[in-house]
Amino acid sequence: MSVVSHAREAAGQPIPLRHDWSRSEIEALFALPMPELLFRAASVHRQHFDPAEVQVSTLLSVKTGGCPEDCSYCPQAQRYHTGVQATKLMETDAVLEKARQAKAAGATRFCMGAAWRSPKDRDVPKVAAMIREVKALGLETCATLGMLTGDQARALKDAGLDYYNHNLDTDPEFYDSIIQTREIQDRLTTLEHVRDAGLKTCCGGIVGMGETGRQRAGLLRTLANLPSHPDSVPINRLVQVEGTPLHGTEEIDPFDFVRTIAVARILMPRSMVRLSAGRQDMSDELQAMCFLAGANSIFYGEQLLTTGNPDTERDMALFARLGLRPMQVHVDAEHHDHPGTAHVDIIELPQHPRSFAA
């Protein structure tokens, strides 16, 4: 970041969005002393968001397991023995009932995910029906279904989908160490189809998979240099599931995770930066540091319940201790993209509720 940018940041002036970050610039941010890095990230955060607000979201896996891909972190891959039982796509009525429960519990967005490499054309009308019905309840809609063609993306947009989640996962240099059944370009192409269809994007990655600091910088560089910054940037911390190739990987240092959050906030100042998979194993103190570093979105609760469960109670207790409050989102059945709306997508598995990254 240039001296001029530092001066504008210190003066509270908006810094122009950039899409030309170099890896060396990003590595230099990672190398800053922690107090300086947190100060810069918090300053950027305050320019675009209320630092006392955190967005919360609810989820549903509408089709679990049986995925033919070989993502080394994922228990839904059918080639790994993780105890996840493959299920068929849920019926629309069952999804709608879960959406009603989510709304009653205070959710403003409902996220639907299916463990596909990519949906078949015959599956798209079924998912589109779910989207239309959920949106009619006055909820924002999001989905993560794997790779999409341009026609599929447009069909989901026509059904009323607001956001689509498709992560890059890791640095292009490290990608084939984690996934070999598709290439990083496949993911970039899907994101292009999603943007061209007029959908908002949710796109981030996973850290703690054995990547180097240089490769973490490379992941954030790729995200920040997309044609438009993702509206939501989930930063997942690897949840190790027995039976997957990454089980037993050395865990990422908690401070390195905080640094990743802070640098993501600086590079993508107007995006929602989300604490995603792995949060259940984070201490309250680590989560507090992430909020200071610019995270302003979380996944809320492990199940779709109309009453609080221990996880949601823990979140609200932490919010109270930190003086934080859930971000209020005003939506209706016709116009869902309101200024200030926070956008979050995450899918967790009922069998392994901490094991899926989004």
Side-chain angles (χ1 to χ4, degrees), residues 25-102:
E25 286 179 297
I26 298 172
E27 289 180 315
L29 289 173
F30 271 98
L32 287 172
M34 184 68 84
E36 176 65 18
L37 177 59
L38 292 183
F39 174 77
R40 293 192 190 182
S43 299
V44 171
H45 189 191
R46 288 170 178 270
Q47 289 181 11
H48 301 281
F49 298 97
D50 183 336
E53 289 189 342
V54 177
Q55 196 272 343
V56 297
S57 183
T58 299
L59 58 94
L60 179 66
S61 178
V62 298
K63 193 275 179 190
T64 299
C67 182
E69 301 231 55
D70 68 350
C71 306
S72 297
Y73 54 81
C74 186
Q76 299 210 66
Q78 62 185 4
R79 68 189 65 202
Y80 306 140
H81 301 290
T82 61
V84 172
Q85 300 299 314
T87 65
K88 295 181 179 180
L89 186 67
M90 293 176 63
E91 296 295 331
T92 299
D93 287 346
V95 173
L96 192 58
E97 177 57 29
K98 293 295 186 181
R100 291 192 184 98
Q101 294 176 23

Side-chain angles (χ1 to χ4, degrees), residues 246-265:
L246 289 182
H247 184 253
T249 301
E250 183 178 356
E251 293 186 0
I252 185 173
D253 183 278
F255 293 137
D256 286 339
F257 184 80
V258 174
R259 288 180 181 277
T260 305
I261 295 290
V263 174
R265 168 53 66 209

